[in-house]
């Protein structure tokens, strides 16, 4: 794939000054930089400024309020003699609009912006076909704007010299480059963005039909080969620049067919994990290990045992989905591959495994400030500057049939042409007007994010059309003259985006907020065994919008059984009591009454939580358990009249694990000592004539060693 340039050239007219140009080469629109353990990252800001510039200032503004922490105008760099500059701007996780201005003294001489700059989480997906995907129709795109990918598909081969380095939205038709179809990653991205409120970047490095031995043997060769080359190339070409949180691994079906024993699988994957960490230079690169072996009605306890051993015995390997029970026609389209609602269930399993505890414990790889710009070898082969109306250029290709579409996103009609560069067999180099996709008769899902296309159909399968090779693609506004915007590339199968401009800022989203709180009231704090214990759940909407689609769940403690409720919306399956509230106006409270029967003597603690709502709750997250202290959960306790010390509590499966408390004290000053003194006595009450011991504790919290310290009392 061609590597389109990452430069944004913006001309700004300044009153009383000549038109000045500020060119940015970093960061890139829709890029996501991995945040560190404190939730921060350094955004590299680099480019070229007018010769009159003395300083560069930059700021970051959330694309939408609440999607980041603003960073005000900050002087980040002075100008080198050749007009270039390079510096970093620190920010918390979020989705930002970067604004940069060049100043000559106090006068602004040029400005530039980059929309959709992300600080968040980066994942690399690897394994075999159930990590790759591809056969599933109608795979849903990511609904949130903050889920990113590299829209390129080098499935048959990996050519790192032709990797692109720009980013796209995980939309319908887009690929999770450099190797994967979109599959479940848009679904998972939406879930993670909703939970974490930071953007997500997926990179694809899976390979269908591969065994653990295939991956180990490929990693052991020099240079590495397919399939491990997919991980190697992605880590070295992308992760070194974006950073990475973890590798998501799902593989084992082929080892089931091969009869791989536990030790062999363990050894193979241990080698691959160690190789990936050695190549990235990050010995704690996290892996999430799926437990997967199901294929055509069979499972392998040996493979799953090896995967469990990797989780427990290899450092920084975490628990991934267990999918051998995710079977049946509603989950798998061919008794092997996930499809239909199975895609949603598979994505939800990944979401459940990417717990708050995982994010607190795993150590991400953070890129160095000198690795975040495009390397010299990654410069594109391009001619001309894209018109301001041109937003995107790409193609969709099938090398076997020679079927080909040239695609563009533009605010005005455009025309394009194709020129063969490595032979003379293709001679149709005329300019053609690209048709609006809406009226072209082709499926819009295949060309999502594009507005115009030109179909170059073959005469027959593999005859005519566009044969494999190297081409020059040209696009220009319809009716204009000249060469237009040209890109030279080797054609790869499937959809590939070659150029992505700085997308416009969308209209601000209207976020529907409804602040829900939950309380519980017991009818009696003492209940006899065999009698009814009645309690009420009070759901209150503090606004500012009406709440809809509210679901409340109460898991009963052992020894407490559901009897009845006066509300038909309250139901129970086993020990799980569920309640539905379809609408709840602002400042209204809905009361749900639950009757339970006490089976055994003891002390009872019952807990409930809001598990779903259609609105955004600004100070609580639905379904995160009954132990996180948020106001959408509540507890109540009572005891039986019959004495017993047995304590019975509501189960709390899959709770939200709160992160460890982070110290807020500043780092010790290396040039100062910082002494403190505490005094303790052995007794608070003492008789006359008796002795008391005093303990004086001196502590130095500074960075300088303290000497000749004296203490008096």
């Amino acid at each position: 794939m061609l590597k389109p340039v990452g430069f944004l050239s913006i001309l700004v007219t300044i009153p009383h000054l000549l038109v000045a140009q500020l060119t940015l080469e970093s960061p890139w629109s829709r890029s996501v930089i991995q945040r560190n353990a404190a939730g921060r990252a350094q955004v590299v800001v680099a480019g070229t400024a007018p010769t009159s510039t003395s300083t560069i200032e930059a700021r970051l503004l959330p694309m939408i309020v609440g999607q980041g922490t603003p960073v005000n105008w900050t002087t980040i760099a002075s100008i080198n003699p050749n007009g270039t500059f390079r510096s970093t701007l620190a920010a918390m996780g979020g989705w930002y609009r970067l604004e940069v201005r060049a100043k000559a003294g106090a006068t602004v001489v040029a400005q530039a912006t980059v929309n959709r700059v992300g600080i968040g989480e980066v994942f690399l997906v690897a394994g075999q076909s159930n990590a790759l995907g591809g056969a599933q129709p109608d795979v849903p795109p990511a609904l949130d704007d903050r889920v990113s990918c590299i829209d390129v598909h080098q499935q048959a081969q990996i050519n790192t010299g032709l990797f692109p380095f720009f980013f796209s939205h995980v939309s319908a038709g887009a690929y999770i480059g450099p190797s994967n179809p979109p599959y479940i990653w848009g679904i998972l991205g939406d879930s993670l963005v909703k939970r974490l409120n930071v953007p997500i970047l997926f990179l694809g490095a899976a390979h269908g039909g591969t065994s653990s031995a295939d991956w180990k043997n490929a990693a052991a060769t020099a240079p590495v080969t397919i399939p491990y080359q997919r991980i190697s190339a992605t880590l070295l070409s992308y992760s070194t620049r974006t950073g990475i949180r973890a590798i998501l691994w799902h593989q084992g079906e082929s080892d089931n067919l091969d009869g791989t024993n536990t030790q062999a699988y363990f050894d193979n994957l241990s080698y691959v994990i160690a190789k990936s960490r050695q190549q990235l230079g990050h010995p704690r690169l996290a892996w999430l290990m799926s437990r997967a072996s199901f294929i055509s009605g069979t499972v392998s306890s040996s493979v799953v045992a090896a995967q469990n051993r990797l989780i427990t015995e290899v450092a920084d390997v975490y628990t991934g989905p267990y999918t051998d029970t995710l079977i049946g026609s509603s989950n798998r389209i061919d008794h092997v591959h996930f499809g239909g609602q199975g895609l949603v269930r598979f994505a939800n399993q990944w979401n459940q495994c990417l717990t708050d505890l995982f994010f607190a414990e795993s150590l991400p790889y953070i890129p160095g400030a000198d690795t975040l710009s495009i390397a010299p070898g990654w410069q594109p082969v391009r001619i001309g500057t894209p018109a301001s109306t041109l937003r995107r250029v790409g193609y969709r290709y099938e090398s076997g049939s020679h079927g080909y579409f040239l695609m563009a996103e533009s605010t005005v009609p455009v025309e394009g042409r194709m020129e063969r560069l490595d032979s003379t067999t293709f001679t149709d180099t005329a300019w053609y007007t690209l048709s609006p996709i809406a009226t072209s008769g082709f499926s819009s899902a295949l060309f999502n994010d594009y507005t115009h296309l030109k179909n170059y159909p073959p005469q027959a399968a593999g005859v005519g059309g566009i044969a494999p090779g190297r081409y020059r693609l040209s696009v220009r506004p319809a009716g204009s003259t000249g060469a237009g915007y040209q890109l030279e590339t080797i054609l790869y199968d499937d959809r590939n985006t070659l150029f992505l401009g700085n997308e416009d800022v969308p209209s601000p989203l209207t976020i529907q907020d409804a602040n829900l709180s939950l309380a519980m009231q017991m009818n009696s704090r003492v209940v006899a065994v065999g009698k009814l214990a009645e309690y009420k759940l009070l759901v209150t909407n503090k606004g500012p919008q009406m709440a809809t689609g509210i679901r409340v769940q109460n898991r009963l403690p052992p020894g407490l059984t559901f009897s009845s409720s006066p509300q038909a919306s309250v139901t129970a399956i086993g020990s799980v009591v569920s309640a539905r509230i379809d609408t709840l106006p602002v400042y209204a409270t809905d009361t749900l009454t639950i009757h339970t029967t006490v089976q055994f003597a003891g002390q009872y603690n019952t807990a409930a939580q809001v598990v779903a709502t259609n609105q955004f709750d600004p100070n609580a997250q639905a379904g995160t358990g009954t132990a996180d202290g948020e106001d959408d959960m509540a507890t109540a306790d009572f005891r039986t009249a019959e004495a017993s010390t047995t304590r019975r509590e509501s189960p709390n499966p899959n709770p939200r694990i709160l992160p460890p408390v982070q110290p807020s004290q500043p780092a010790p000053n290396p040039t100062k000592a910082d002494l403190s003194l505490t005094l303790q006595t052995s007794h608070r009450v003492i008789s006359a004539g008796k002795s008391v011991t005093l303990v004086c504790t001196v502590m130095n919290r500074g960075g300088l060693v303290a000497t000749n310290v004296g203490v008096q009392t």
Side-chain angles (χ1 to χ4, degrees):
M1 266 302 305
L2 171 70
K3 309 168 297 304
V5 73
F7 288 72
L8 293 171
S9 299
I10 298 179
L11 300 183
V12 180
T13 302
I14 307 296
H16 310 298
L17 292 175
L18 296 175
V19 173
Q21 184 172 343
L22 176 61
T23 302
L24 296 179
E25 70 172 66
S26 176
W28 312 278
S29 180
R30 293 198 177 276
S31 62
V32 179
I33 304 301
Q34 176 63 51
R35 58 179 179 167
N36 63 16
R40 300 175 66 84
Q42 298 285 340
V43 178
V44 172
V45 183
T48 304
T51 55
S52 61
T53 304
S54 57
T55 57
I56 295 292
E57 293 180 344
R59 70 176 179 179
L60 287 166
L61 301 175
M63 293 290 293
I64 295 175
V65 174
Q67 291 187 1
T69 304
V71 177
N72 211 345
W73 286 112
T74 304
T75 300
I76 61 169
S78 56
I79 301 301
N80 298 321
N82 61 357
T84 62
F85 62 91
R86 179 182 183 83
S87 188
T88 59
L89 188 63
M92 296 297 293
W95 194 232
Y96 295 102
R97 169 187 174 92
L98 172 73
E99 298 182 357
V100 182
R101 62 189 185 190
K103 298 179 71 174
T107 303
V108 176
V109 297
Q111 300 183 71
T113 64
V114 183
N115 297 324
R116 299 173 177 84
V117 175
I119 296 174
E121 297 293 337
V122 182
F123 298 99
L124 188 158
V125 179
Q128 59 180 110
S129 57
N130 271 329
L132 179 72
Q136 298 80 2
D138 302 323
V139 174
L143 301 179
D144 198 291
D145 188 52
R146 294 171 288 176
V147 186
S148 288
C149 64
I150 307 286
D151 186 13
V152 63
H153 198 217
Q154 290 194 16
Q155 179 61 17
Q157 57 182 314
I158 292 291
N159 187 341
T160 57
L162 295 176
F163 272 172
F165 201 68
F166 59 92
F167 305 83
S168 295
H169 180 237
V170 179
S171 57
Y175 277 84
I176 310 296
S179 299
N180 289 23
Y183 197 34
I184 66 166
W185 309 115
I187 306 172
L188 177 59
D190 279 341
S191 297
L192 291 174
V193 166
K194 182 179 179 181
R195 279 178 46 210
L196 305 175
N197 196 31
V198 295
I200 304 295
L201 170 64
F202 289 109
L203 301 168
H207 194 295
T210 51
S211 67
S212 64
D214 294 332
W215 286 88
K216 187 264 183 181
N217 294 335
T221 61
V224 299
T225 57
I226 295 291
Y228 177 77
Q229 188 196 14
R230 301 195 186 287
I231 292 179
S232 174
T234 306
L235 288 176
L236 298 180
S237 297
Y238 291 115
S239 299
T240 53
R241 291 171 168 83
T242 65
I244 184 175
R245 170 67 70 171
I247 291 179
L248 309 183
W249 177 262
H250 188 91
Q251 185 275 336
E253 297 90 341
S254 291
D255 289 85
N256 179 2
L257 292 179
D258 295 343
T260 306
N261 63 47
T262 298
Q263 189 62 48
Y265 190 98
F266 179 87
D267 292 342
N268 291 339
L269 260 294
S270 295
Y271 186 92
V272 173
I273 292 168
K275 183 73 171 185
S276 69
R277 292 170 174 174
Q278 176 265 321
Q279 285 195 300
L280 188 61
H282 184 51
R284 291 196 58 187
L285 173 61
W287 279 61
L288 271 81
M289 179 67 55
S290 285
R291 280 73 51 75
S293 70
F294 179 86
I295 184 168
S296 300
T298 67
V299 296
S300 170
S301 59
S302 298
V303 170
V304 173
Q307 293 160 344
N308 283 325
R309 278 189 58 194
L310 289 161
I311 294 168
T312 57
E313 298 179 26
V314 179
D316 299 296
V317 176
Y318 295 84
T319 302
Y322 176 61
T323 59
D324 280 359
T325 58
L326 198 61
I327 57 177
S329 58
S330 65
N331 292 312
R332 308 213 185 208
I333 56 178
D334 56 4
H335 304 294
V336 178
H337 300 102
F338 297 112
Q341 284 302 302
L343 297 177
V344 177
R345 296 183 183 107
F346 186 28
N348 287 342
Q349 284 195 357
W350 275 114
N351 183 41
Q352 292 164 7
C353 292
L354 291 163
T355 63
D356 291 346
L357 180 61
F358 162 75
F359 286 108
E361 290 184 347
S362 59
L363 184 65
Y365 173 80
I366 306 302
D370 59 342
T371 64
L372 294 180
S373 61
I374 299 174
W378 286 32
Q379 297 304 318
V381 181
R382 77 167 194 175
I383 304 171
T385 301
S388 60
T389 56
L390 190 63
R391 296 288 183 263
R392 188 187 307 259
V393 176
Y395 65 86
R396 182 173 179 85
Y397 186 49
E398 296 178 359
S399 58
S401 68
H402 292 193
Y404 179 87
F405 293 90
L406 176 61
M407 306 181 299
E409 180 193 2
S410 176
T411 58
V412 301
V414 290
E415 55 189 21
R417 71 173 178 178
M418 297 288 294
E419 299 172 274
R420 184 75 182 258
L421 299 179
D422 53 4
S423 75
T424 59
T425 58
F426 178 77
T427 59
D428 187 1
T429 59
W431 287 95
Y432 293 96
T433 299
L434 276 62
S435 302
I437 289 178
T439 60
S440 66
F442 295 100
S443 171
S444 60
L446 298 176
F447 310 105
N448 195 63
D449 298 332
Y450 288 91
T451 57
H452 298 77
L453 61 81
K454 163 61 180 172
N455 181 22
Y456 290 80
Q459 299 168 7
V463 179
I466 304 291
R470 186 175 186 87
Y471 288 81
R472 180 183 297 122
L473 294 63
S474 304
V475 179
R476 69 186 183 189
S480 63
T481 60
Y485 182 61
Q486 299 180 341
L487 297 156
E488 297 181 1
T489 182
I490 296 173
L491 298 183
Y492 286 93
D493 279 331
D494 301 309
R495 176 179 132 154
N496 296 273
T497 296
L498 299 181
F499 165 77
L500 184 65
N502 193 25
E503 298 172 88
D504 295 332
V505 178
S507 300
L509 295 178
T510 301
I511 300 177
Q512 296 291 324
D513 286 356
N515 184 358
L516 298 179
S517 63
L518 182 65
M520 296 183 72
Q521 294 178 350
M522 291 297 306
N523 188 48
S524 175
R525 297 295 298 279
V526 180
V527 182
V529 173
K531 300 298 182 179
L532 289 180
E534 177 187 304
Y535 53 92
K536 294 178 171 60
L537 303 178
L538 289 79
V539 184
T540 302
N541 178 13
K542 301 175 184 178
Q545 269 98 26
M546 176 184 289
T548 61
I550 303 168
R551 301 294 183 268
V552 179
Q553 186 180 88
N554 170 214
R555 292 179 178 269
L556 300 178
L560 202 61
T561 59
F562 177 77
S563 295
S564 64
S565 172
Q567 289 96 15
S569 62
V570 178
T571 59
I573 299 178
S575 62
V576 179
V577 181
S578 300
R580 183 187 75 252
I581 302 175
D582 294 329
T583 59
L584 187 60
V586 179
Y587 304 125
T589 297
D590 202 333
T591 301
L592 306 166
T593 301
I594 299 174
H595 296 148
T596 60
T597 302
V598 181
Q599 303 291 336
F600 307 108
Q603 302 170 11
Y604 287 82
N605 185 38
T606 182
Q609 63 170 321
V610 176
V611 294
T613 178
N614 292 337
Q615 286 67 41
F616 174 75
D617 192 327
N619 59 6
Q621 184 175 333
T624 54
T626 55
D628 57 8
E630 295 180 341
D631 67 351
D632 66 344
M633 52 78 57
T635 62
D637 62 274
F638 66 95
R639 64 179 177 83
T640 58
E642 297 79 7
S644 173
T645 59
T646 302
R647 186 169 181 83
R648 305 175 187 275
E649 297 189 349
S650 289
N652 187 25
N654 302 316
R656 176 186 181 189
I657 305 300
L658 299 178
V661 176
Q662 298 295 319
S664 60
Q665 298 302 308
N669 189 325
T671 64
K672 296 180 180 179
D674 182 5
L675 299 181
S676 62
L677 177 66
T678 59
L679 184 65
Q680 293 177 311
T681 65
S682 58
H683 297 83
R684 296 295 299 275
V685 179
I686 191 75
S687 301
K690 301 296 183 178
S691 63
V692 62
T693 300
L694 302 180
V695 178
C696 298
T697 303
V698 183
M699 180 177 291
N700 179 12
R701 292 185 173 89
L704 187 67
V705 174
T707 58
N708 298 321
V709 180
V711 178
Q712 282 188 343
T713 180

